[in-house]
Amino acid sequence: MATLELNGLGHVYENGHVGLSGIELNIRDGEFLALLGPSGSGKTTLLRTIAGFLRPTSGSLAIDGKTMAGEGTWVPPEKRGLGMVFQDHAIWPHLNVAGNVGYPLKLAGVPKTQLNGRVAEVLEQVGLAEYARRKPSALSGGQRQRVALARAIIASPKALLLDEALSALDEPLRARLRLELRALTREEGLTAVHVTHDRAEALGLADRVAVLRDGMIQQVGTPAELLETPVNSFVASFVSDATLFPGTLVDGNFHADHPGLRLPMGSGSQRNHGTRLIGQPLASGSRSRRAVAAVAPTSVRLKPAGSPIHVDNLAGGPLARVTSALYGRHGYETSLDWAGATLRVLVTGWTPKEGDMVRPLVDQAHVFCEEAGAVQGRAA
Amino acid sequence: MSTHTLDKAAVAQKAATDRASSAGCDTAAPKPPRRGGRPGDGLSVLRTVVWVLMALVVGLPLAALVFQGVQPAARQVFGDPAVAVAAINSVASALGSALLATLAGAVLAVLLERCNIPSRNVLRWLVLLPFLIPPFIGAMSWMALLGANGPVNKALQGLGIDAKLSIFGGWGVVFLLAVHSYPMAYLVIAATLRRIPGNLEEAARISGAGTSQVLGTVLLPLLRPGLLAAFVLTLVANLSDFGIPALIGLPERYTTLTTLVYRYLASSTTSNPLPAVAAIGLLLLVLAVLVVLAQRKLPADTQLGSGPVGQRLSLGGVRIPLTVLLWVSTIIICLVPLFALASQALLPAPGVPLTWENLSMENIVRVATSAGAISGIENSLRLAGGAAVCCTVLGLGIALLLTRGKHRSNTALDVSATLPQALPGLVIAVGWLLIAPMLGIFNTPWVILGAYVMAFLALVVQSVRAPLASVSSTLEEAARSSGASPLRALLDVTTRLAAPAALTGGVVVLLTAVRELTISILLVAPGTQTLGVSIFNLQQAGDYGGASALALLVAMAGILGLSATAALANRRANN
């Protein structure tokens, strides 16, 4: 149970590849933080840097205020007092379950009887009380994962690091372990850092999520913040599957390059109604700027092609053709070919068919001006 | 060359795995239950041809050995105390050298593969050097280095130290066998080490383990199967080496089974040496099979996950001293004897001081133009070339049968193809010696050729098998659905894909056979003297200059040839 402070942390690999750069992150005591990003975004690199398997090439890392890595300081992984769960469990095949779980305490020199007691206690906690004498080869995937978890928490680590810890498991089991993991970390008040590429998992489990791309943090925020106020188009498209439309921002009004996209106009204000403008507000009278509108699949309604249109400025716009409709838990995940742009829409209430012609109506969009000038992820 | 040794390891384990299940499977293959293919679809023709050849090349010699070895006349040999002494010496020297080799191989593998030793790539090549040189040439190098007039004893004399270092005797045999087998142990252990996923070590680190604790509690326990395989492999190989005990042991009357058999065959005092020789061959066969079976009984390989290998272990303060120690011992063990051999080859006579003016090509020119050496080179090239061609074709056929389609006779085929490699060379030589008169090829080069094919066939089978097994059978099915017959699909797709690996295997056979000594010397007849035998005879006759000149050429050719083959094979594997 501790805080983690990362200041300007960077890692450049020997081959010159930049793994991380300028990572600013404060993880609070008892917080569950998810590191989310596509593959190659640096989330695992960041976790391994915290663990101590990688040495940062710049910046510093402190656990509970004590510097672990930084100018002239280096604490090897075995002295950091952390617990870690690896993607493919990393259960030692030559030790039985109790041997695996008790290993950290054995190294710490805990007396035998006390060690056995604590092993039993932790195995109880993860639901493996009867498995102490089993060999790892006799365990199922989920049981191995629980052994790995028990081993990671037995020595009351300052923080629990989870590296794609649930990715190797099948879906129903994964969902169950997700809940157990959350309950366990709450109960123990553990600070946890969880690397995942699964958006639903990150949003569902974490108190806060840090979205990474190309070794840089794009945004840190609660799941709701990421969905409602993404700071840039990458976060919007990665987290909520938004379709991006480039365009121009003139006097606070967004004009898409795409012939069909019209963001509804508000009457009272200069702004588009239902549009969140993100970025520096324009000084009045300044020239137009390039911008990007992100349209989430849930912000689009589809009208049948023949239905009357009440909004004047939509008349004459191009129709969209349904190219695929996949049935999902929340509705049909539908892809449209809309005058060359591929628009993703979540359809509920009716069944879209391939080849259907529809007219998309965009209710809401996030507009990001000049990506370079967009607000950087706020490190809390 | 690394593939070659690993194959050997695989063979040893595989043979052990399969032997139990396939006892008595040597009978003719039952009719295969065919799926889709018509009778006579080519594959069954191939299977019949392969089985006939295998019965001839592998089955017959072993059957003859077992049959002859259990005759009453043969068993009398065990009453001979000389045989008992030789057997004890063989087992003791093989055990001792295998232990030393495994220990050295393990230390080197951990240091060079997993620790942050600087210059480890150069060191890795250097420590594998003894592997590229035939053991008897290694023995000659050490004799040159530690001979009475050798550089070391000269230097000791110069310092006023009277003690003379000598390599001869039992300890010398153990030491040299270890020197020539530790690279094999290294390769086997390093391969196991590479299969240990790094996160097993990282999990120990994050649990609070330092470098030495990671080594002791995670790496070493996981390495145990590899250590065992390396031990068994070097044990079997050292059980029947001829060159080292003959050159190093015999002068001190240290006899092993191999040198004893050689003496029986070479001396004219025994009227019919064959029963005695067959009995000794059978004894070694039983020993080898027991060793391999014993390994099978011990706990098998623990299941390891897959994953990238862990980070290099930091040695901390001992890093530089260890590196220096490694360099010094590597230079002494791997390079200095070679230099001694070279200087002996380049000096006109033993004892002539080593100066630039004294160096001459005289020995090399003399030996290279002598009739004996030329015929030896010619014989060896012809035999090794023939063996390489036979092994490549037969090995490719076997590998195709083993990887394509399931068949009840596959296990038996696998065992008979790979078993000979786990057998001491002496066993193979004696088997062929026994069947040669029956086949009417006694005292001809064909005996040696047959024994070479039996001994080295597994090299090709193993080198083809791995790549062939990874070729998806859908490639062949694609050819079938495009209209190719089963045989045509096999030839057009699978055989084509396997050909490069088979060729590499064939080259390794060529390079191994061309410098072979143990089999050749037991089967040699007037006019069929091979290169190894020529060198050995020159050395025995006291022509050290000539012998080392020829040996130097062989050593150089081996180092260059095997390094190049390994590099090519690696490059292809990486592509």
Side-chain angles (χ1 to χ4, degrees), chain A residues 48 51 53-54 77-78 82-84 86 88 90-94 103-104 107 137 151 161, chain B residues 199-200 202-210 213 217-218 221-222 302-304 306 311:
Chain A
R48 292 173 63 80
F53 297 126
L54 285 176
E78 62 266 27
L82 300 170
M84 184 157 172
F86 295 82
D88 42 8
I91 302 295
W92 299 303
H94 59 294
Y103 185 82
L107 288 179
S137 50
R151 179 178 66 191
L161 309 180
Chain B
N199 59 18
L200 293 182
E202 288 176 354
R205 287 246 164 208
I206 205 92
S207 306
Q213 282 164 321
T217 59
V218 175
L222 291 176
T302 33
Q303 286 172 340
L304 297 175
S306 56
Q311 291 165 313

mmCIF file of all heavy atoms in Angstrom, chain A residues 48 51 53-54 77-78 82-84 86 88 90-94 103-104 107 137 151 161, chain B residues 199-200 202-210 213 217-218 221-222 302-304 306 311:
data_model
loop_
_atom_site.group_PDB
_atom_site.id
_atom_site.type_symbol
_atom_site.label_atom_id
_atom_site.label_comp_id
_atom_site.label_asym_id
_atom_site.label_seq_id
_atom_site.Cartn_x
_atom_site.Cartn_y
_atom_site.Cartn_z
ATOM 1 N N ARG A 48 7.019 -2.555 -16.685
ATOM 2 C CA ARG A 48 8.303 -3.192 -16.404
ATOM 3 C C ARG A 48 9.304 -2.201 -15.845
ATOM 4 O O ARG A 48 10.219 -2.577 -15.117
ATOM 5 C CB ARG A 48 8.841 -3.874 -17.662
ATOM 6 C CG ARG A 48 8.007 -5.084 -18.078
ATOM 7 C CD ARG A 48 8.448 -5.655 -19.410
ATOM 8 N NE ARG A 48 9.821 -6.150 -19.346
ATOM 9 C CZ ARG A 48 10.153 -7.325 -18.839
ATOM 10 N NH1 ARG A 48 9.226 -8.113 -18.372
ATOM 11 N NH2 ARG A 48 11.397 -7.705 -18.803
ATOM 12 N N ALA A 51 8.367 -2.041 -12.269
ATOM 13 C CA ALA A 51 8.802 -3.265 -11.590
ATOM 14 C C ALA A 51 10.310 -3.263 -11.364
ATOM 15 O O ALA A 51 10.808 -3.839 -10.401
ATOM 16 C CB ALA A 51 8.396 -4.484 -12.400
ATOM 17 N N PHE A 53 12.444 -4.077 -14.085
ATOM 18 C CA PHE A 53 13.081 -4.915 -15.097
ATOM 19 C C PHE A 53 13.668 -4.065 -16.207
ATOM 20 O O PHE A 53 14.477 -4.534 -16.998
ATOM 21 C CB PHE A 53 12.085 -5.926 -15.664
ATOM 22 C CG PHE A 53 11.583 -6.895 -14.639
ATOM 23 C CD1 PHE A 53 10.240 -7.081 -14.420
ATOM 24 C CD2 PHE A 53 12.492 -7.607 -13.859
ATOM 25 C CE1 PHE A 53 9.795 -7.961 -13.466
ATOM 26 C CE2 PHE A 53 12.050 -8.491 -12.895
ATOM 27 C CZ PHE A 53 10.699 -8.667 -12.692
ATOM 28 N N LEU A 54 13.246 -2.837 -16.288
ATOM 29 C CA LEU A 54 13.834 -1.905 -17.244
ATOM 30 C C LEU A 54 14.294 -0.687 -16.467
ATOM 31 O O LEU A 54 13.643 -0.261 -15.517
ATOM 32 C CB LEU A 54 12.797 -1.475 -18.288
ATOM 33 C CG LEU A 54 12.433 -2.486 -19.365
ATOM 34 C CD1 LEU A 54 11.328 -1.919 -20.240
ATOM 35 C CD2 LEU A 54 13.649 -2.828 -20.203
ATOM 36 N N PRO A 77 14.770 -4.876 -8.871
ATOM 37 C CA PRO A 77 13.382 -5.311 -8.643
ATOM 38 C C PRO A 77 13.188 -6.056 -7.329
ATOM 39 O O PRO A 77 12.152 -5.902 -6.687
ATOM 40 C CB PRO A 77 13.086 -6.217 -9.843
ATOM 41 C CG PRO A 77 14.347 -6.383 -10.595
ATOM 42 C CD PRO A 77 15.261 -5.287 -10.193
ATOM 43 N N GLU A 78 14.192 -6.871 -6.936
ATOM 44 C CA GLU A 78 13.991 -7.692 -5.746
ATOM 45 C C GLU A 78 13.958 -6.868 -4.469
ATOM 46 O O GLU A 78 13.544 -7.345 -3.429
ATOM 47 C CB GLU A 78 15.055 -8.795 -5.666
ATOM 48 C CG GLU A 78 16.491 -8.328 -5.546
ATOM 49 C CD GLU A 78 17.191 -8.237 -6.901
ATOM 50 O OE1 GLU A 78 16.492 -8.024 -7.906
ATOM 51 O OE2 GLU A 78 18.423 -8.352 -6.941
ATOM 52 N N LEU A 82 7.512 -5.151 -4.383
ATOM 53 C CA LEU A 82 6.296 -5.134 -5.192
ATOM 54 C C LEU A 82 5.816 -6.572 -5.416
ATOM 55 O O LEU A 82 6.545 -7.523 -5.190
ATOM 56 C CB LEU A 82 6.574 -4.481 -6.546
ATOM 57 C CG LEU A 82 7.072 -3.041 -6.500
ATOM 58 C CD1 LEU A 82 7.542 -2.606 -7.864
ATOM 59 C CD2 LEU A 82 5.987 -2.128 -5.986
ATOM 60 N N GLY A 83 4.584 -6.700 -5.866
ATOM 61 C CA GLY A 83 4.084 -8.004 -6.281
ATOM 62 C C GLY A 83 3.675 -7.897 -7.729
ATOM 63 O O GLY A 83 3.230 -6.845 -8.174
ATOM 64 N N MET A 84 3.873 -8.983 -8.489
ATOM 65 C CA MET A 84 3.540 -8.886 -9.910
ATOM 66 C C MET A 84 2.888 -10.164 -10.402
ATOM 67 O O MET A 84 3.278 -11.257 -10.019
ATOM 68 C CB MET A 84 4.818 -8.595 -10.704
ATOM 69 C CG MET A 84 4.601 -8.382 -12.180
ATOM 70 S SD MET A 84 5.970 -7.426 -12.876
ATOM 71 C CE MET A 84 5.612 -7.523 -14.619
ATOM 72 N N PHE A 86 2.142 -12.123 -13.952
ATOM 73 C CA PHE A 86 2.575 -12.082 -15.348
ATOM 74 C C PHE A 86 1.496 -12.622 -16.269
ATOM 75 O O PHE A 86 0.622 -13.383 -15.845
ATOM 76 C CB PHE A 86 3.858 -12.905 -15.518
ATOM 77 C CG PHE A 86 5.017 -12.337 -14.766
ATOM 78 C CD1 PHE A 86 5.185 -12.583 -13.417
ATOM 79 C CD2 PHE A 86 5.948 -11.536 -15.417
ATOM 80 C CE1 PHE A 86 6.254 -12.050 -12.722
ATOM 81 C CE2 PHE A 86 7.019 -11.003 -14.733
ATOM 82 C CZ PHE A 86 7.170 -11.262 -13.378
ATOM 83 N N ASP A 88 1.487 -14.904 -18.699
ATOM 84 C CA ASP A 88 1.291 -16.352 -18.750
ATOM 85 C C ASP A 88 1.622 -16.984 -17.394
ATOM 86 O O ASP A 88 2.210 -18.043 -17.324
ATOM 87 C CB ASP A 88 2.054 -16.996 -19.899
ATOM 88 C CG ASP A 88 3.433 -16.412 -20.040
ATOM 89 O OD1 ASP A 88 3.814 -15.641 -19.147
ATOM 90 O OD2 ASP A 88 4.138 -16.724 -21.013
ATOM 91 N N ALA A 90 3.668 -17.432 -15.163
ATOM 92 C CA ALA A 90 5.017 -17.623 -14.630
ATOM 93 C C ALA A 90 5.016 -18.398 -13.319
ATOM 94 O O ALA A 90 5.621 -17.996 -12.337
ATOM 95 C CB ALA A 90 5.738 -16.281 -14.450
ATOM 96 N N ILE A 91 4.297 -19.518 -13.337
ATOM 97 C CA ILE A 91 4.307 -20.409 -12.175
ATOM 98 C C ILE A 91 5.505 -21.339 -12.331
ATOM 99 O O ILE A 91 5.705 -21.923 -13.387
ATOM 100 C CB ILE A 91 3.013 -21.243 -12.126
ATOM 101 C CG1 ILE A 91 1.795 -20.338 -12.083
ATOM 102 C CG2 ILE A 91 3.028 -22.193 -10.934
ATOM 103 C CD1 ILE A 91 1.700 -19.510 -10.854
ATOM 104 N N TRP A 92 6.305 -21.475 -11.280
ATOM 105 C CA TRP A 92 7.483 -22.341 -11.374
ATOM 106 C C TRP A 92 7.061 -23.800 -11.409
ATOM 107 O O TRP A 92 6.436 -24.306 -10.461
ATOM 108 C CB TRP A 92 8.422 -22.093 -10.199
ATOM 109 C CG TRP A 92 8.915 -20.685 -10.184
ATOM 110 C CD1 TRP A 92 9.594 -20.038 -11.188
ATOM 111 C CD2 TRP A 92 8.746 -19.718 -9.145
ATOM 112 N NE1 TRP A 92 9.843 -18.742 -10.835
ATOM 113 C CE2 TRP A 92 9.347 -18.519 -9.588
ATOM 114 C CE3 TRP A 92 8.150 -19.763 -7.901
ATOM 115 C CZ2 TRP A 92 9.368 -17.370 -8.821
ATOM 116 C CZ3 TRP A 92 8.178 -18.618 -7.127
ATOM 117 C CH2 TRP A 92 8.781 -17.442 -7.589
ATOM 118 N N PRO A 93 7.417 -24.510 -12.482
ATOM 119 C CA PRO A 93 6.934 -25.888 -12.627
ATOM 120 C C PRO A 93 7.570 -26.862 -11.633
ATOM 121 O O PRO A 93 7.053 -27.946 -11.430
ATOM 122 C CB PRO A 93 7.312 -26.251 -14.067
ATOM 123 C CG PRO A 93 8.389 -25.317 -14.446
ATOM 124 C CD PRO A 93 8.189 -24.069 -13.643
ATOM 125 N N HIS A 94 8.703 -26.480 -11.032
ATOM 126 C CA HIS A 94 9.375 -27.434 -10.149
ATOM 127 C C HIS A 94 8.919 -27.311 -8.701
ATOM 128 O O HIS A 94 9.378 -28.063 -7.848
ATOM 129 C CB HIS A 94 10.889 -27.248 -10.240
ATOM 130 C CG HIS A 94 11.352 -25.879 -9.864
ATOM 131 N ND1 HIS A 94 11.045 -24.756 -10.592
ATOM 132 C CD2 HIS A 94 12.094 -25.447 -8.833
ATOM 133 C CE1 HIS A 94 11.596 -23.698 -10.017
ATOM 134 N NE2 HIS A 94 12.234 -24.084 -8.953
ATOM 135 N N TYR A 103 7.085 -18.648 -1.752
ATOM 136 C CA TYR A 103 8.454 -18.282 -2.123
ATOM 137 C C TYR A 103 8.887 -16.892 -1.640
ATOM 138 O O TYR A 103 9.965 -16.759 -1.046
ATOM 139 C CB TYR A 103 8.594 -18.421 -3.640
ATOM 140 C CG TYR A 103 9.975 -18.187 -4.179
ATOM 141 C CD1 TYR A 103 10.924 -19.202 -4.156
ATOM 142 C CD2 TYR A 103 10.332 -16.959 -4.726
ATOM 143 C CE1 TYR A 103 12.192 -18.999 -4.668
ATOM 144 C CE2 TYR A 103 11.592 -16.748 -5.241
ATOM 145 C CZ TYR A 103 12.524 -17.767 -5.207
ATOM 146 O OH TYR A 103 13.782 -17.555 -5.713
ATOM 147 N N PRO A 104 8.078 -15.846 -1.836
ATOM 148 C CA PRO A 104 8.537 -14.522 -1.385
ATOM 149 C C PRO A 104 8.797 -14.473 0.114
ATOM 150 O O PRO A 104 9.751 -13.841 0.560
ATOM 151 C CB PRO A 104 7.382 -13.600 -1.773
ATOM 152 C CG PRO A 104 6.669 -14.307 -2.873
ATOM 153 C CD PRO A 104 6.791 -15.758 -2.554
ATOM 154 N N LEU A 107 12.093 -16.230 0.967
ATOM 155 C CA LEU A 107 13.246 -15.369 0.719
ATOM 156 C C LEU A 107 13.385 -14.315 1.806
ATOM 157 O O LEU A 107 14.490 -13.915 2.158
ATOM 158 C CB LEU A 107 13.106 -14.672 -0.641
ATOM 159 C CG LEU A 107 13.294 -15.539 -1.869
ATOM 160 C CD1 LEU A 107 13.104 -14.712 -3.112
ATOM 161 C CD2 LEU A 107 14.668 -16.179 -1.874
ATOM 162 N N SER A 137 1.391 -28.349 -12.934
ATOM 163 C CA SER A 137 0.934 -28.957 -14.182
ATOM 164 C C SER A 137 -0.469 -29.532 -14.037
ATOM 165 O O SER A 137 -1.136 -29.797 -15.028
ATOM 166 C CB SER A 137 1.918 -30.050 -14.613
ATOM 167 O OG SER A 137 2.170 -30.921 -13.540
ATOM 168 N N ARG A 151 0.711 -15.511 -4.937
ATOM 169 C CA ARG A 151 2.139 -15.298 -4.772
ATOM 170 C C ARG A 151 2.473 -13.807 -4.783
ATOM 171 O O ARG A 151 3.354 -13.342 -4.066
ATOM 172 C CB ARG A 151 2.899 -16.007 -5.895
ATOM 173 C CG ARG A 151 4.394 -15.826 -5.830
ATOM 174 C CD ARG A 151 5.094 -16.573 -6.923
ATOM 175 N NE ARG A 151 4.777 -16.039 -8.247
ATOM 176 C CZ ARG A 151 5.100 -16.639 -9.385
ATOM 177 N NH1 ARG A 151 5.717 -17.784 -9.375
ATOM 178 N NH2 ARG A 151 4.784 -16.105 -10.536
ATOM 179 N N LEU A 161 1.410 -5.261 -9.404
ATOM 180 C CA LEU A 161 1.523 -4.979 -10.835
ATOM 181 C C LEU A 161 0.919 -6.136 -11.607
ATOM 182 O O LEU A 161 1.238 -7.295 -11.366
ATOM 183 C CB LEU A 161 2.996 -4.797 -11.230
ATOM 184 C CG LEU A 161 3.805 -3.804 -10.394
ATOM 185 C CD1 LEU A 161 5.229 -3.727 -10.898
ATOM 186 C CD2 LEU A 161 3.151 -2.426 -10.421
ATOM 187 N N ASN B 199 10.077 -14.911 -17.702
ATOM 188 C CA ASN B 199 9.220 -14.409 -16.628
ATOM 189 C C ASN B 199 9.268 -15.292 -15.380
ATOM 190 O O ASN B 199 8.905 -14.849 -14.303
ATOM 191 C CB ASN B 199 7.784 -14.193 -17.111
ATOM 192 C CG ASN B 199 7.146 -15.442 -17.634
ATOM 193 O OD1 ASN B 199 7.608 -16.552 -17.356
ATOM 194 N ND2 ASN B 199 6.081 -15.285 -18.386
ATOM 195 N N LEU B 200 9.760 -16.541 -15.535
ATOM 196 C CA LEU B 200 9.938 -17.365 -14.334
ATOM 197 C C LEU B 200 11.010 -16.760 -13.441
ATOM 198 O O LEU B 200 10.934 -16.813 -12.214
ATOM 199 C CB LEU B 200 10.317 -18.796 -14.711
ATOM 200 C CG LEU B 200 9.238 -19.612 -15.425
ATOM 201 C CD1 LEU B 200 9.723 -21.011 -15.693
ATOM 202 C CD2 LEU B 200 7.968 -19.645 -14.601
ATOM 203 N N GLU B 202 11.830 -13.485 -13.612
ATOM 204 C CA GLU B 202 11.331 -12.172 -13.177
ATOM 205 C C GLU B 202 10.399 -12.334 -11.985
ATOM 206 O O GLU B 202 10.403 -11.509 -11.067
ATOM 207 C CB GLU B 202 10.617 -11.486 -14.332
ATOM 208 C CG GLU B 202 11.595 -11.014 -15.388
ATOM 209 C CD GLU B 202 10.925 -10.404 -16.598
ATOM 210 O OE1 GLU B 202 9.687 -10.452 -16.670
ATOM 211 O OE2 GLU B 202 11.646 -9.887 -17.448
ATOM 212 N N ALA B 203 9.596 -13.413 -12.010
ATOM 213 C CA ALA B 203 8.697 -13.649 -10.889
ATOM 214 C C ALA B 203 9.496 -13.851 -9.605
ATOM 215 O O ALA B 203 9.083 -13.421 -8.529
ATOM 216 C CB ALA B 203 7.825 -14.873 -11.168
ATOM 217 N N ALA B 204 10.673 -14.498 -9.724
ATOM 218 C CA ALA B 204 11.513 -14.697 -8.544
ATOM 219 C C ALA B 204 12.107 -13.367 -8.093
ATOM 220 O O ALA B 204 12.165 -13.058 -6.903
ATOM 221 C CB ALA B 204 12.615 -15.699 -8.848
ATOM 222 N N ARG B 205 12.524 -12.556 -9.066
ATOM 223 C CA ARG B 205 13.103 -11.251 -8.743
ATOM 224 C C ARG B 205 12.133 -10.390 -7.965
ATOM 225 O O ARG B 205 12.466 -9.805 -6.949
ATOM 226 C CB ARG B 205 13.430 -10.500 -10.040
ATOM 227 C CG ARG B 205 14.585 -11.054 -10.730
ATOM 228 C CD ARG B 205 15.711 -10.051 -10.721
ATOM 229 N NE ARG B 205 16.887 -10.790 -11.068
ATOM 230 C CZ ARG B 205 18.089 -10.485 -10.685
ATOM 231 N NH1 ARG B 205 18.291 -9.433 -9.947
ATOM 232 N NH2 ARG B 205 19.091 -11.224 -11.020
ATOM 233 N N ILE B 206 10.912 -10.310 -8.508
ATOM 234 C CA ILE B 206 9.946 -9.408 -7.893
ATOM 235 C C ILE B 206 9.534 -9.944 -6.524
ATOM 236 O O ILE B 206 9.093 -9.206 -5.662
ATOM 237 C CB ILE B 206 8.730 -9.207 -8.830
ATOM 238 C CG1 ILE B 206 8.043 -7.881 -8.558
ATOM 239 C CG2 ILE B 206 7.743 -10.329 -8.726
ATOM 240 C CD1 ILE B 206 8.544 -6.768 -9.399
ATOM 241 N N SER B 207 9.754 -11.271 -6.316
ATOM 242 C CA SER B 207 9.487 -11.840 -4.998
ATOM 243 C C SER B 207 10.623 -11.579 -4.025
ATOM 244 O O SER B 207 10.549 -11.990 -2.878
ATOM 245 C CB SER B 207 9.288 -13.363 -5.107
ATOM 246 O OG SER B 207 8.311 -13.671 -6.051
ATOM 247 N N GLY B 208 11.700 -10.971 -4.523
ATOM 248 C CA GLY B 208 12.777 -10.593 -3.620
ATOM 249 C C GLY B 208 14.060 -11.383 -3.772
ATOM 250 O O GLY B 208 14.921 -11.337 -2.898
ATOM 251 N N ALA B 209 14.213 -12.147 -4.890
ATOM 252 C CA ALA B 209 15.409 -12.962 -5.060
ATOM 253 C C ALA B 209 16.498 -12.195 -5.799
ATOM 254 O O ALA B 209 16.229 -11.579 -6.824
ATOM 255 C CB ALA B 209 15.070 -14.239 -5.824
ATOM 256 N N GLY B 210 17.722 -12.263 -5.273
ATOM 257 C CA GLY B 210 18.869 -11.664 -5.953
ATOM 258 C C GLY B 210 19.426 -12.637 -6.982
ATOM 259 O O GLY B 210 18.902 -13.738 -7.159
ATOM 260 N N GLN B 213 20.198 -16.165 -5.818
ATOM 261 C CA GLN B 213 18.976 -16.892 -5.447
ATOM 262 C C GLN B 213 18.168 -17.281 -6.679
ATOM 263 O O GLN B 213 17.583 -18.357 -6.719
ATOM 264 C CB GLN B 213 18.130 -16.044 -4.492
ATOM 265 C CG GLN B 213 18.680 -16.071 -3.077
ATOM 266 C CD GLN B 213 18.118 -14.967 -2.226
ATOM 267 O OE1 GLN B 213 17.942 -13.847 -2.702
ATOM 268 N NE2 GLN B 213 17.849 -15.264 -0.970
ATOM 269 N N THR B 217 17.431 -21.148 -6.986
ATOM 270 C CA THR B 217 16.079 -21.624 -6.714
ATOM 271 C C THR B 217 15.237 -21.763 -7.969
ATOM 272 O O THR B 217 14.231 -22.447 -7.958
ATOM 273 C CB THR B 217 15.337 -20.680 -5.744
ATOM 274 O OG1 THR B 217 15.295 -19.379 -6.334
ATOM 275 C CG2 THR B 217 16.023 -20.606 -4.409
ATOM 276 N N VAL B 218 15.625 -21.119 -9.056
ATOM 277 C CA VAL B 218 14.799 -21.211 -10.253
ATOM 278 C C VAL B 218 15.559 -21.838 -11.421
ATOM 279 O O VAL B 218 15.161 -22.865 -11.960
ATOM 280 C CB VAL B 218 14.249 -19.827 -10.656
ATOM 281 C CG1 VAL B 218 13.486 -19.925 -11.962
ATOM 282 C CG2 VAL B 218 13.346 -19.291 -9.564
ATOM 283 N N PRO B 221 17.150 -25.706 -10.770
ATOM 284 C CA PRO B 221 16.149 -26.774 -10.742
ATOM 285 C C PRO B 221 15.507 -27.002 -12.109
ATOM 286 O O PRO B 221 15.230 -28.135 -12.476
ATOM 287 C CB PRO B 221 15.116 -26.261 -9.737
ATOM 288 C CG PRO B 221 15.835 -25.298 -8.893
ATOM 289 C CD PRO B 221 16.888 -24.673 -9.748
ATOM 290 N N LEU B 222 15.295 -25.930 -12.855
ATOM 291 C CA LEU B 222 14.654 -26.082 -14.159
ATOM 292 C C LEU B 222 15.613 -26.657 -15.187
ATOM 293 O O LEU B 222 15.215 -27.179 -16.214
ATOM 294 C CB LEU B 222 14.119 -24.738 -14.646
ATOM 295 C CG LEU B 222 12.944 -24.201 -13.843
ATOM 296 C CD1 LEU B 222 12.546 -22.825 -14.325
ATOM 297 C CD2 LEU B 222 11.768 -25.148 -13.955
ATOM 298 N N THR B 302 10.415 -30.999 -17.111
ATOM 299 C CA THR B 302 9.267 -30.309 -16.566
ATOM 300 C C THR B 302 8.642 -29.471 -17.675
ATOM 301 O O THR B 302 9.332 -29.009 -18.564
ATOM 302 C CB THR B 302 9.684 -29.372 -15.424
ATOM 303 O OG1 THR B 302 10.979 -28.884 -15.732
ATOM 304 C CG2 THR B 302 9.696 -30.074 -14.114
ATOM 305 N N GLN B 303 7.342 -29.304 -17.592
ATOM 306 C CA GLN B 303 6.681 -28.535 -18.635
ATOM 307 C C GLN B 303 6.987 -27.062 -18.460
ATOM 308 O O GLN B 303 6.693 -26.481 -17.421
ATOM 309 C CB GLN B 303 5.171 -28.748 -18.554
ATOM 310 C CG GLN B 303 4.766 -30.116 -19.057
ATOM 311 C CD GLN B 303 3.316 -30.377 -18.795
ATOM 312 O OE1 GLN B 303 2.711 -29.733 -17.947
ATOM 313 N NE2 GLN B 303 2.767 -31.325 -19.511
ATOM 314 N N LEU B 304 7.568 -26.499 -19.480
ATOM 315 C CA LEU B 304 7.873 -25.080 -19.419
ATOM 316 C C LEU B 304 6.938 -24.350 -20.356
ATOM 317 O O LEU B 304 6.536 -24.884 -21.376
ATOM 318 C CB LEU B 304 9.314 -24.836 -19.847
ATOM 319 C CG LEU B 304 10.362 -25.491 -18.948
ATOM 320 C CD1 LEU B 304 11.744 -25.291 -19.516
ATOM 321 C CD2 LEU B 304 10.293 -24.906 -17.558
ATOM 322 N N SER B 306 6.152 -20.971 -22.799
ATOM 323 C CA SER B 306 6.991 -20.344 -23.808
ATOM 324 C C SER B 306 7.079 -18.870 -23.444
ATOM 325 O O SER B 306 6.317 -18.371 -22.655
ATOM 326 C CB SER B 306 6.374 -20.513 -25.179
ATOM 327 O OG SER B 306 5.074 -19.978 -25.152
ATOM 328 N N GLN B 311 16.268 -11.542 -18.890
ATOM 329 C CA GLN B 311 17.376 -10.623 -19.068
ATOM 330 C C GLN B 311 18.655 -11.247 -18.547
ATOM 331 O O GLN B 311 18.627 -12.194 -17.777
ATOM 332 C CB GLN B 311 17.088 -9.345 -18.282
ATOM 333 C CG GLN B 311 15.961 -8.564 -18.876
ATOM 334 C CD GLN B 311 15.464 -7.522 -17.900
ATOM 335 O OE1 GLN B 311 15.236 -7.809 -16.733
ATOM 336 N NE2 GLN B 311 15.325 -6.313 -18.372
#
